[in-house]
Amino acid sequence: MADAFFPRRYDVIVVGGGHAGVEAALAAARMGRATLLLTQNLDTIAAMSCNPSIGGVGKGQMVREVDALGGEMAKAADRSSFFSQTLNLSKGQAVRSPRAQCDKAAYRAGQKAVVESCANLDPIQDEAWELWVEGSALRGVLSRRGTRYEGKTVVLTTGTFLNGLAHVGLKTHAAGRGGEAPALGISASLRALGFAVGRMKTGTPPRLHSRSIDYSKLERQDGDLIPKPFSHFNVKISNPQLPSWIAYTNALTHRTIRDNLKNSPLYSGKIEGVGPRYCPSIEDKVVKFPSKERHQLFLEPEGWNTSEVYLNGMSTSLPEDAQRALVSSIPGLENALLTRCGYAIEYDFCQPTQLTDTLESRAVPGLFLAGQINGTTGYEEAAGQGLLAGVNAALRVADEGPFRLGRDEAYLGVMIDDLAVRGVDEPYRMFTARAENRLSLRADDADLRLMEKGFALGLIAPEARERFLRYRDLVLGAGEAPDADLSPWSMAKVLEQRAIRSSYEPYISRERREAERLKAAELVEIPPRLDYAAIGALTNESREKLSRLRPRTLGQAGRVPGVTPADLQILWVHSDRAK
């Protein structure tokens, strides 16, 4: 039977409706491109499949940056948040990070409504099965049911679905997450196009029924007294607030884990994928930190209208009976009912060094990858990549120059540079420590750093620009109209920004001077066809890595592991000669 051709041709096809896919599709559509969002299930658009929260250290800064550029994640968090907290309040502004726990159903429903109401965007339920490539030209995607969707560019945002395999004890079943089906066709298509495809792993904790928890034995934790919005465009949070609760593991918990390691897919060798070192399973915590007498757990509600509670800190893939024993060993959870067991999930990913710093494939022009397919983890990292991939796909369609953010401009720039230049050997997570210029990349000033770029891209309504510019001028001391309408900004925020900038100025100036010094090398472009193999003065390791990664600038070349300062000097000379 011949394939069916979908009647509409698209500028941008986004495959996958998670956090990366939503931002990619909205960005492309808002830039005026005819956009298709193709997803296996329209009811799980922007699903919070694991932790019911947005933000955190480093992550919160990225969410504010996505918002400043015109993305949607911060607004979605504000619509659905019931517990807001500024982390690291005892430390300096540079590492203070917003975090919000959200009603998972409300977050998902809000994002679905935004997608469905967006002009130029068609959401369709179907499964992408194969990339449609003719010769060396990308034509679109072929679906599992035999429909050909034609598009000038394609953005893959497949999350943990590529050949997903869930583990509970020594039992496995094919799954994208929870009870959802995996995506089975795209990995083979990528391999056929020459992509190096590997395996990674992530995990989730059990969920508990609130009615079965004895909260009198737990420590109550409340959010900030006055919740602060994530989005620069929101003045306040009026949602009803809920508390979280703190519990602790104990010797019995740890003994139960050790007794069941033989049935753990992590320790039996059944799982091959690499997991996140910074977010270990409870098994890893007990095995790798044997002297620690207890580990902290957070019981986080999953929403206003559900009784399910997320047991943050107890990610596990032990058998179901062992999970019940673990939970019941904890004071307050002796009679807790597990509504959902924890599980680990393995999935395919593509090493991101196969991409340019616009997230476009080097091998297949017009193909962009964003989110966990690039070896990252977390909703926030996915959303940031999705936004940038969607923007660059939209720009490519119009033959406009690419959109890039430098490491000195945004955490988003740090992340993309880390991925494209250094690659990943474990699921990548953003931390403030990854940014050399973190004094300048604060959560409080993301709008001042990036919002003009959002306006220029057409991702933010132009009517807000006049008020933003007035606010910016007042912060910089160039404005003289304190009684003018600044909403959603305010004079209180102007004064706060002036105070922060004043206290940080000596340190930021020093940081800025260093950034300018480094930018001299950053801006020196390497000829795209430079023959590294012919440069005998380079080390063998440098020749091999530079030939494979093809860095765009000397600055990127300097961040390739194994490339020495002496190699850079040699490369600079040969770049000049080649020009």
Side-chain angles (χ1 to χ4, degrees):
M1 180 175 164
D3 294 336
F5 286 80
F6 195 75
R8 186 176 184 189
R9 294 179 178 178
Y10 292 94
D11 295 317
V12 180
I13 297 176
V14 178
V15 176
H19 302 278
V22 164
E23 297 291 357
L26 289 174
R30 287 167 174 169
M31 292 173 70
R33 310 300 185 260
T35 304
L36 167 65
L37 176 60
L38 200 64
T39 181
Q40 288 179 311
N41 189 345
L42 287 173
D43 293 326
T44 57
I45 284 177
M48 303 178 84
S49 53
C50 193
N51 200 325
S53 72
I54 296 294
V57 178
K59 293 170 172 280
Q61 281 87 332
M62 283 199 299
V63 176
R64 298 273 289 171
E65 291 175 352
V66 167
D67 186 67
L69 289 168
E72 198 65 29
M73 175 171 271
K75 297 183 183 70
D78 288 348
R79 285 191 296 265
S80 57
S81 67
F82 57 76
F83 182 101
S84 298
Q85 192 177 28
T86 302
L87 305 179
N88 289 333
L89 266 177
S90 62
K91 299 180 181 179
Q93 287 282 349
V95 293
R96 293 183 187 177
S97 306
R99 180 180 184 269
Q101 290 170 220
C102 300
D103 182 297
K104 295 172 78 166
Y107 184 98
R108 182 179 67 243
Q111 289 288 66
K112 185 173 188 283
V114 170
V115 166
E116 290 177 340
S117 63
C118 182
N120 304 314
L121 176 55
D122 293 344
I124 293 180
Q125 183 167 299
D126 197 356
E127 181 182 348
W129 188 256
E130 183 181 340
L131 290 167
W132 175 12
V133 178
E134 292 183 356
S136 60
L138 178 67
R139 293 286 307 278
V141 297
L142 173 66
S143 82
R144 186 169 192 166
R145 63 186 187 221
T147 301
R148 289 191 181 272
Y149 297 94
E150 187 168 3
K152 298 176 183 175
T153 60
V154 174
V155 184
L156 291 182
T157 66
T158 49
T160 60
F161 282 77
L162 291 187
N163 287 332
L165 188 66
H167 298 260
V168 179
L170 301 181
K171 306 271 188 191
T172 62
H173 63 277
R177 63 186 172 203
E180 296 181 65
L184 301 176
I186 291 294
S187 288
S189 185
L190 288 168
R191 286 191 176 95
L193 291 170
F195 279 84
V197 179
R199 295 286 275 176
M200 279 193 174
K201 164 258 172 190
T202 189
T204 68
R207 274 68 156 182
L208 313 179
H209 196 299
S210 179
R211 185 182 59 210
S212 65
I213 298 170
D214 183 355
Y215 288 102
S216 68
K217 296 181 180 180
L218 307 180
E219 299 176 17
R220 178 176 172 131
Q221 182 187 42
D222 290 295
D224 294 343
L225 186 61
I226 302 177
K228 290 185 177 180
F230 254 112
S231 176
H232 301 90
F233 302 97
N234 290 331
V235 177
K236 63 180 180 179
I237 298 292
S238 301
N239 307 332
Q241 300 294 289
L242 299 174
S244 291
W245 304 84
I246 299 175
Y248 297 91
T249 63
N250 53 52
L252 176 57
T253 316
H254 299 180
R255 185 164 65 248
T256 304
I257 289 171
R258 286 191 290 268
D259 289 346
N260 281 278
L261 286 178
K262 61 183 180 296
N263 297 316
S264 165
L266 288 174
Y267 285 88
S268 67
K270 197 170 183 64
I271 288 180
E272 299 175 0
V274 179
R277 173 169 41 92
Y278 45 80
C279 187
S281 67
I282 192 66
E283 298 97 290
D284 274 341
K285 291 178 185 178
V286 170
V287 170
K288 294 178 180 178
F289 306 99
S291 61
K292 195 169 179 65
E293 295 182 354
R294 66 178 190 172
H295 295 279
Q296 193 174 52
L297 306 172
F298 295 90
L299 283 81
E300 300 173 343
E302 296 217 331
W304 292 297
N305 301 309
T306 178
S307 294
E308 284 197 283
V309 175
Y310 184 88
L311 190 52
N312 197 342
M314 193 179 266
S315 174
T316 182
S317 55
L318 287 171
E320 186 173 341
D321 57 348
Q323 293 190 35
R324 297 185 195 283
L326 291 184
V327 171
S328 65
S329 71
I330 296 166
L333 307 183
E334 295 91 345
N335 299 305
L337 173 67
L338 274 66
T339 57
R340 307 184 200 211
C341 284
Y343 61 90
I345 188 161
E346 284 187 283
Y347 55 93
D348 288 347
F349 83 103
C350 292
Q351 185 59 245
T353 51
Q354 299 170 98
L355 308 177
T356 70
D357 56 5
T358 64
L359 297 180
E360 185 176 12
S361 162
R362 299 177 192 276
V364 185
L367 176 63
F368 295 78
L369 277 63
Q372 285 176 284
I373 192 174
N374 287 338
T376 63
T377 187
Y379 310 144
E380 304 83 1
E381 289 86 350
Q385 292 173 72
L387 175 74
L388 296 176
V391 165
N392 277 301
L395 291 172
R396 193 183 199 285
V397 167
D399 291 324
E400 297 180 27
F403 178 74
R404 297 185 177 99
L405 291 169
R407 295 182 71 93
D408 60 333
E409 293 181 290
Y411 275 94
L412 296 176
V414 173
M415 173 176 64
I416 300 303
D417 187 71
D418 283 349
L419 295 175
V421 176
R422 297 174 177 170
V424 295
D425 54 14
E426 64 175 340
Y428 178 96
R429 176 181 177 173
M430 180 52 71
F431 296 105
T432 52
R434 292 190 187 274
E436 303 89 339
N437 303 289
R438 56 186 172 274
L439 296 181
S440 306
L441 307 183
R442 306 184 307 276
D444 63 82
D445 73 342
D447 51 352
L448 294 170
R449 290 186 279 116
L450 298 174
M451 196 164 284
E452 271 289 83
K453 297 179 187 293
F455 287 119
L457 289 168
L459 295 178
I460 304 176
E463 54 264 26
R465 187 168 185 265
E466 183 179 343
R467 292 192 295 275
F468 167 71
L469 293 178
R470 194 180 300 136
Y471 160 74
R472 185 192 66 182
D473 290 345
L474 286 169
V475 169
L476 300 177
E480 299 179 359
D483 58 338
D485 179 21
L486 300 176
S487 181
W489 295 274
S490 66
M491 274 308 293
K493 184 164 171 56
V494 169
L495 296 175
E496 178 188 52
Q497 274 299 302
R498 285 178 175 176
I500 293 171
R501 294 170 73 87
S502 175
S503 63
Y504 270 76
E505 183 52 39
Y507 309 102
I508 291 176
S509 294
R510 185 172 62 195
E511 189 178 79
R512 192 179 298 121
R513 287 193 299 271
E514 179 64 15
E516 289 299 322
R517 186 183 69 81
L518 294 174
K519 189 169 281 189
E522 189 68 48
L523 296 178
V524 175
E525 294 198 355
I526 300 172
R529 292 181 175 80
L530 185 66
D531 185 2
Y532 295 102
I535 306 176
L538 292 174
T539 65
N540 290 335
E541 181 182 8
S542 292
R543 283 201 299 272
E544 186 274 325
K545 288 184 174 179
L546 292 169
S547 296
R548 176 166 49 87
L549 299 176
R550 311 297 309 180
R552 185 174 54 83
T553 67
L554 283 182
Q556 289 184 350
R559 291 187 290 278
V560 173
V563 174
T564 68
D567 291 331
L568 279 185
Q569 292 294 332
I570 295 165
L571 196 54
W572 198 327
V573 171
H574 281 267
S575 294
D576 284 344
R577 287 179 183 171
K579 292 174 185 176

